[in-house]
Structures are given as C-alpha cells and as structure tokens.
Amino acid sequence: MKPTTPFSPKPMGLFGQPAAAQAQAKFQQAWALHQSGQIAQALPLYEQVIQLQSKHFDALHLAGVISLQLGYPDKAVDLISKALKIDRDNVSALGNRGAAYTELGQFDLALLNYNKAIALEPTAARSYNNRGNTLGKLNRQEEAIQDFDKAIELDPNYFSAYNNRAMALSDLKRYGEAQASLVRAIALNPESVDAHWNLGMCLLRLGNFEQGWLESEWRLKRPQALGLSETYAAPVWTGVEPLEGKTILVCCEQGLGDTIQFCRYAPLVAQRGGRVLLEVQPALMDLLRHLPDVELLPQGGERPAYDYHCPLMSLPLLFKTDLSNMPPPPDIVRIDPAMRAAWQARVGDLGDLGERGKKRKQRIGIVWSGNPSHVDDHKRSIPLQVLAPLLSDDIEWISLHKDVRASDAPVLATHPAIRHFGAEQQVFMDVAAICDLVDVVVAIDTSLAHLAATIGKPTWVLLSYNADWRWLLDRQDNPWYPSVKVYRQPQRGDWAGAMAQVLADLRDLQAASKG
C-alpha cells in the first residue's frame, strides 16, 4: 500500500537558535531529495534533523514514510507514532501509520488509524481506499467494496479505487463486475501494470486464454519483481523468428511452482529447431535435469551466448494455449535409487502390511502452508491448528514440509498423527522421494502440489474460495495436471469445509483398499 503523500511541510523550530537553523537547512535538503524521488538519500538527512530537533513533526513523519517505502514498516510505525504525539489529528500521518500497520499484518490497528482519519476528514477519498484494502485483508470484502465505492463517489477518476475494488469483487467471485472495474481502471491509467495484469488473471480464470495471455504480458514491465533480468544480451523471441541454428535462452520467472508447471513448454521450443537454454532456480536443477532437448542453467549463473531470450510464462501465449491443447506435464522426475531406498527405510514402503497381515493405514502426504512472502499467502496457507483437529489417527499423515513456521511448530510437536522429516530433507529431490512413498498428496496451492502432480501422484489440492487462475472455476479436475483433484472452500475462509470433503474421499479410499 502506498503511503499518503503529505501536503507541503510546515516550518518547525526557532530560527534564531543555531540548532534550529541547522535543522531547518538540513530539512530543506532532505525535502528536495524526497521530492525528486531520491528517498534513500533523503532519509539520513531527516534523521539528522530529528537528532537536532526531536519534535520536528515533518522530519519524523517523512522519515517514517520513507522507511515504509524502503520496506521497514516497524521503523515507520515508530517514527510516525512519535510524529502523532506532536499532532494527534494529522490525517496524513494517521493514514501512513495505518499503511505501516497493514504491512506488518496488524490489520486491526490499521483500521483504528483509518477510522480516525475518516472521522477527522470524511471527504478524503484516499482514506476510504486504504481502509478498503485493509478490510480486504481481513476477509471483509463486502465492507471493502463499500469503501472503494465511497472513494469513487468522492473522486470519480480514482484509478486505485477501481483497481482495488476489482480485487475485492474477484474475492467474492463477482468476476463480471471485477472485469468491468478493471476496464475502467485501465481507461483512467492505460499504462498501469497492475490493472492489466489483474485483468489478465481474471480473464485466464474465466477461460478467456487468448486475451488473458496478452494482458498478462504486462507483468514483464516489472522484470525484477518476477526474478527476471532488467536487460538481456539478445532480443526477445516472439514465436515467429526461425530458430534453426540459433540459441534461445528461456528464463524462469516467479515461483518454483511456476517453473515446475511451465517447464513443459521448453521442449516444444526445442522442436522449432534451435538450441534451448532453460534457466531455472538452483533448487530445481536436479529435479528438472531429465527435461528432454534442453540444457539447464542455474538462475543467477553465467550464461553462454544466445540469439534470443523468452520468459518462461510467455510461452503459453506464443504457443496459443487454450483448454484444447494444453501440453501434458513432462515425465522427468528420476529419483536416485539410493535416495529412494534411504527414504523408504525412514518412511516405510507402500507395500508394507500392517499388524497380523492387515492392510496398512492410508499414507497421506500433507502440505498446509507455502511461501509467507507470497502476495496471497493469507488466503492460501492454512494455520496447522485449523487442520490438526481434522487429522485422525486412522491415517498415517506425512508432513512434506522442510521448514515449518514458528506458529505451527508447537502444534506439530504435540500432534503425533503427523510424521515430520524436515531436518532430514537436504534437497528438493528428497521431497520428491517422500511423495513417491505416499498414497495421496493433500496440499495447498504451492510448489509441492506442482511437484506431486508432475510425478503423477494423486494430488488433492486445497483451494481458497477465489483460487489462483490456473485452477479455473467450478471444476474438480485440472487440465494442466491429470492426477489433480481440487477441493474448494465452500465459503470464504472455510478450510474446515474443504477439508471435510477431503476426509470423506479419504474414507472412501480406505474402504476401497480394504475391499
């Protein structure tokens, strides 16, 4: 969330005193740098002003704003709180502290700041927009939409409110309205990467692949956010240039799951006749090394000479992918026999019989959380304490996590139904070996779900109410992965309801195995 830009700062200090005059001179230098966008250079000058005058409101406030922009929301809260002790009713500072609390995930405190800002200045559209964003984080989308509507009423050309409103509408599965809101946002700001990319995701989710892929290309205007380079030594391949006798660099982007899902396109590029260099995250080098007709390079390493480059997730557009022609996942995962034997000794073989020759328990691999820095982590990850009561002892649960969040560790330690081998996993192939030793993988939308589905393991994916575009809408299967079955929240935030569907199917699986 962008911090509120304050109005012109007001002079502070007693200019007859040397310290005050020095402080004001430094403040003017800082303010000039700030206005020109040189925020990293402005911050230490603001801090020097604060050392000279500890109650300089504008220096405290603006140092907090820059701290938030630089990714230090805790520092921002501290500085802006000190400013608000000097001017408790400053609407701009209240809004910026609310933004900092939102970044910290302290949404209730953010709301208190926005509520006060709105009470003090009920005609400020920005405060409604910011409060709407925070309400959305709290899964209060209906209220969020009311705030976005109010912001638009106050400012009919408020681009951000239209864009944010579309996200809240999507969370409610009101996709037609969301699409219309994004079209309006783009009309107001035709060069907005966010609005075009959001529209692309909406269209892909609805199955409008042709236009969806095109809109998604706007993401490339922010290469660093995708893990791509700012510049490349050769032009982009548009799908029409002949590749015979040429070398093309295909570059991974975004997360591990995206690379696992879309690496299937690299051999299709090779069929055009060129040499294909596929750049992947180092963690996936071993997993993908049997991908046919391509040469793997570790992301961040040295690149051989090449004639063209292409981002990996642009290939579905170039190959005109739709529901009728999705390439299947590649048969590439080769687990080293020694590694498999080692994990079989730890976990046990699927063919083992239980006590007195009875059929053993069903063995289920489980993944309940993903990358905490993912923009949708608050929607797609599940606190283990929510799932733990549902994990009965009549199933052998195997955690596929290498690392467990601090908030989940105490729950895991006290839940004997879950076997966890995190410390013993050294590389990504270790989890592939464990997946091979379970009956079914139950996972949220994360890279481990893509891994399990790629090796053909029955993979049951737990999805939030408004799931990522790749899982499409209103279907239990997924055309990208034949072995996947999806379980969607019946209501927003209802993981227990989704898990109840999983458990019912597991009981059927157990009954079938005994029969």
Side-chain angles (χ1 to χ4, degrees):
M1 183 180 302
K2 293 183 178 179
T4 303
T5 301
F7 296 107
S8 299
K10 45 188 182 298
M12 295 289 293
L14 302 173
F15 297 106
Q17 297 178 4
Q22 185 181 4
Q24 193 60 21
K26 286 187 178 294
F27 178 80
Q28 294 301 332
Q29 294 175 36
W31 177 240
L33 290 168
H34 195 161
Q35 286 182 304
S36 67
Q38 301 178 66
I39 59 174
Q41 292 78 15
L43 180 57
L45 289 175
Y46 284 137
E47 291 172 337
Q48 290 176 35
V49 173
I50 295 166
Q51 289 177 352
L52 292 165
Q53 285 192 315
S54 62
K55 294 186 178 181
H56 195 297
F57 172 85
D58 285 313
L60 288 163
H61 180 202
L62 296 175
V65 169
I66 291 177
S67 296
L68 178 57
Q69 292 172 322
L70 293 176
Y72 303 104
D74 48 352
K75 181 178 179 180
V77 166
D78 179 63
L79 289 164
I80 299 173
S81 295
K82 290 176 180 176
L84 283 165
K85 288 181 180 179
I86 301 165
D87 183 356
R88 295 180 181 277
D89 294 337
N90 187 283
V91 172
S92 180
L94 286 165
N96 286 325
R97 188 168 68 174
Y101 276 129
T102 297
E103 288 298 311
L104 289 169
Q106 299 180 34
F107 303 127
D108 290 333
L109 290 174
L111 285 182
L112 290 175
N113 282 267
Y114 292 138
N115 290 343
K116 184 174 180 181
I118 289 170
L120 290 166
E121 192 176 340
T123 59
R126 183 184 297 272
S127 295
Y128 291 98
N129 179 63
N130 290 346
R131 187 173 70 177
N133 281 331
T134 300
L135 287 167
K137 299 285 188 182
L138 290 166
N139 281 326
R140 294 162 61 180
Q141 274 74 15
E142 291 89 350
E143 296 171 75
I145 292 169
Q146 291 177 7
D147 270 355
F148 297 135
D149 287 342
K150 181 64 176 179
I152 292 167
E153 176 189 327
L154 293 166
D155 181 357
N157 295 321
Y158 197 167
F159 156 78
S160 292
Y162 280 104
N163 186 54
N164 294 331
R165 179 176 179 269
M167 297 301 95
L169 288 165
S170 290
D171 283 340
L172 296 175
K173 295 188 177 181
R174 292 161 59 179
Y175 299 117
E177 294 172 78
Q179 187 174 336
S181 195
L182 287 168
V183 169
R184 175 60 179 155
I186 291 170
L188 290 168
N189 186 358
E191 297 302 310
S192 168
V193 175
D194 284 341
H196 280 286
W197 196 358
N198 289 337
L199 179 59
M201 297 299 98
C202 184
L203 292 169
L204 290 173
R205 186 184 284 112
L206 293 169
N208 183 346
F209 286 94
E210 182 177 3
Q211 189 62 30
W213 297 129
L214 284 170
E215 292 290 348
S216 298
E217 288 294 282
W218 279 80
R219 76 194 186 282
L220 300 177
K221 292 184 177 291
R222 291 184 183 162
Q224 286 188 322
L226 305 173
L228 296 170
S229 300
E230 288 281 352
T231 58
Y232 287 90
V236 67
W237 185 60
T238 65
V240 298
E241 296 84 359
L243 292 179
E244 290 84 357
K246 303 292 185 180
T247 297
I248 179 171
L249 174 70
V250 177
C251 319
C252 68
E253 54 173 296
Q254 303 182 58
L256 298 179
D258 297 298
T259 301
I260 295 171
Q261 179 176 358
F262 292 97
C263 71
R264 67 187 72 185
Y265 283 91
L268 300 182
V269 178
Q271 291 174 13
R272 299 290 184 93
R275 175 192 181 198
V276 178
L277 307 173
L278 176 59
E279 192 173 63
V280 304
Q281 296 92 336
L284 298 181
M285 287 287 290
D286 196 36
L287 185 77
L288 304 182
R289 64 191 176 94
H290 293 288
L291 195 66
D293 304 321
V294 305
E295 300 172 43
L296 293 188
L297 300 176
Q299 187 181 41
E302 186 175 350
R303 297 166 174 161
Y306 55 95
D307 301 290
Y308 298 104
H309 81 279
C310 185
L312 180 61
M313 294 181 69
S314 292
L315 292 176
L317 167 66
L318 301 186
F319 283 91
K320 297 180 170 54
T321 303
D322 58 29
L323 289 174
S324 69
N325 62 5
M326 287 180 177
D331 180 18
I332 53 172
V333 180
R334 304 287 185 270
I335 301 168
D336 180 80
M339 175 181 284
R340 192 189 190 284
W343 279 108
Q344 183 175 316
R346 296 185 185 101
V347 178
D349 188 76
L350 279 177
D352 290 345
L353 293 176
E355 184 181 359
R356 296 179 183 175
K358 295 180 180 178
K359 182 71 173 69
R360 59 170 175 76
K361 296 178 180 179
Q362 289 292 324
R363 180 181 294 154
I364 309 299
I366 187 165
V367 181
W368 59 86
S369 66
N371 182 355
S373 63
H374 191 282
V375 65
D376 284 330
D377 182 67
H378 67 288
K379 290 195 298 187
R380 68 177 192 166
S381 288
I382 312 173
L384 184 53
Q385 64 182 0
V386 173
L387 285 186
L390 303 173
L391 305 183
S392 60
D393 293 335
D394 59 347
I395 291 173
E396 183 184 356
W397 299 95
I398 306 291
S399 163
L400 299 180
H401 287 275
K402 182 180 188 300
D403 301 308
V404 174
R405 298 183 184 186
S407 57
D408 289 333
V411 182
L412 182 63
T414 58
H415 208 285
I418 308 174
R419 299 173 66 192
H420 181 64
F421 301 95
E424 299 172 61
Q425 294 186 41
Q426 301 299 316
V427 294
F428 209 75
M429 284 298 293
D430 282 314
V431 74
I434 302 173
C435 285
D436 199 42
L437 293 166
V438 302
D439 295 288
V440 175
V441 170
V442 175
I444 64 156
D445 178 9
T446 187
S447 61
L448 296 185
H450 291 278
L451 168 64
T454 295
I455 67 176
K457 183 64 60 174
T459 305
W460 298 359
V461 183
L462 289 161
L463 297 179
S464 62
Y465 186 70
N466 175 45
D468 187 73
W469 66 269
R470 74 197 72 213
W471 306 110
L472 301 173
L473 297 176
D474 303 325
R475 54 191 300 167
Q476 285 192 305
D477 67 333
N478 183 259
W480 294 102
Y481 294 112
S483 68
V484 156
K485 185 174 183 179
V486 300
Y487 296 81
R488 303 173 189 270
Q489 288 181 340
Q491 302 294 332
R492 281 185 296 116
D494 183 11
W495 286 120
M499 195 64 186
Q501 300 170 36
V502 170
L503 294 175
D505 282 354
L506 286 177
R507 284 193 290 270
D508 290 343
L509 195 65
Q510 286 177 301
S513 68
K514 292 175 181 177

